[in-house]
Amino acid sequence: VLYKLPDYIHDGGLDFYLVNPLSTKFLVSFSDINLMLIPYMFSGIILSIYSLSLLNITPNIVEITLLVFIVACYLTVIYSLYLFLMSFYFWLLESNIEHLYLSLGYIVRFPLDILNNLGKFTYLNIIPLGLAAYITVRIILHKSSWQEIFLVFPITLIIYVISDRFWHFALKSYTSASS
């Protein structure tokens, strides 16, 4: 949702968010939510349920709870990484940083088992875009360890804190377009 940040910086629209009493990050992040994408979310859930039924896999309540938790952490990681990259727009206004993010996310479409150990480590720990896809499938197939599951929250928290601090650092560099 942060895709409008470069426009806000360029035309001074960020000034409006800075003078509001709510968090600037919150306002910029959630000011323009596309509700037309909700059907895609439900179609993904329905497709997942259908796929599980074809495989004769019935997750229990613990697995469903873990899956919801992992997906929530994954969404936080996605948001945090995108916030981190978009924060560079405070210095590099004429760049296409969001294309870098989309390129990094492309690899998540494939099973991480096709990567070597360094590739898996990178996409699970350094740029943890493979976090949800890899661990959720392992939970469903009963191949995950509790160590993997318990590492998800600290990794998510660390990434969120780093991106939040970087956002605030970058925000200090903002100069109004109207001044």
Side-chain angles (χ1 to χ4, degrees):
V1 192
L2 293 164
Y3 68 92
K4 288 192 173 186
L5 182 63
D7 296 332
Y8 294 151
I9 293 171
H10 182 69
D11 65 14
L14 189 59
D15 296 348
F16 170 75
Y17 296 110
L18 288 170
V19 297
N20 274 301
L22 291 175
S23 165
T24 303
K25 180 177 69 172
F26 176 80
L27 290 171
V28 170
S29 299
F30 300 107
S31 64
D32 188 30
I33 295 177
N34 187 353
L35 298 177
M36 298 303 292
L37 296 176
I38 291 176
Y40 292 109
M41 180 182 70
F42 286 119
S43 65
I45 292 170
I46 291 168
L47 184 62
S48 297
I49 292 169
Y50 177 70
S51 299
L52 288 174
S53 70
L54 288 178
L55 295 171
N56 293 324
I57 297 175
T58 307
N60 60 34
I61 191 70
V62 173
E63 292 169 333
I64 291 171
T65 304
L66 285 173
L67 293 174
V68 169
F69 172 73
I70 299 291
V71 169
C73 287
Y74 181 62
L75 292 174
T76 303
V77 166
I78 289 173
Y79 170 77
S80 299
L81 292 174
Y82 196 55
L83 176 69
F84 183 83
L85 288 175
M86 294 302 279
S87 296
F88 281 100
Y89 272 110
F90 287 105
W91 301 289
L92 310 169
L93 192 59
E94 298 299 324
S95 64
N96 291 318
I97 296 170
E98 65 272 4
H99 295 295
L100 171 64
Y101 180 78
L102 294 173
S103 298
L104 289 173
Y106 182 74
I107 193 74
V108 180
R109 298 177 183 182
F110 304 103
L112 292 183
D113 291 329
I114 66 171
L115 299 174
N116 61 18
N117 288 338
L118 179 62
K120 279 185 193 176
F121 178 80
T122 301
Y123 270 93
L124 290 174
N125 298 302
I126 298 173
I127 310 170
L129 292 172
L131 188 72
Y134 185 73
I135 293 180
T136 52
V137 170
R138 289 180 57 86
I139 288 171
I140 290 171
L141 297 177
H142 303 287
K143 292 184 177 183
S144 64
S145 67
W146 285 104
Q147 291 86 358
E148 287 176 329
I149 295 168
F150 286 129
L151 281 177
V152 171
F153 183 71
I155 290 171
T156 301
L157 187 63
I158 289 168
I159 291 170
Y160 177 78
V161 168
I162 289 170
S163 70
D164 183 63
R165 296 237 170 114
F166 189 69
W167 160 263
H168 288 291
F169 173 73
L171 191 58
K172 291 177 185 177
S173 300
Y174 174 69
T175 55
S176 175
S178 62
S179 60

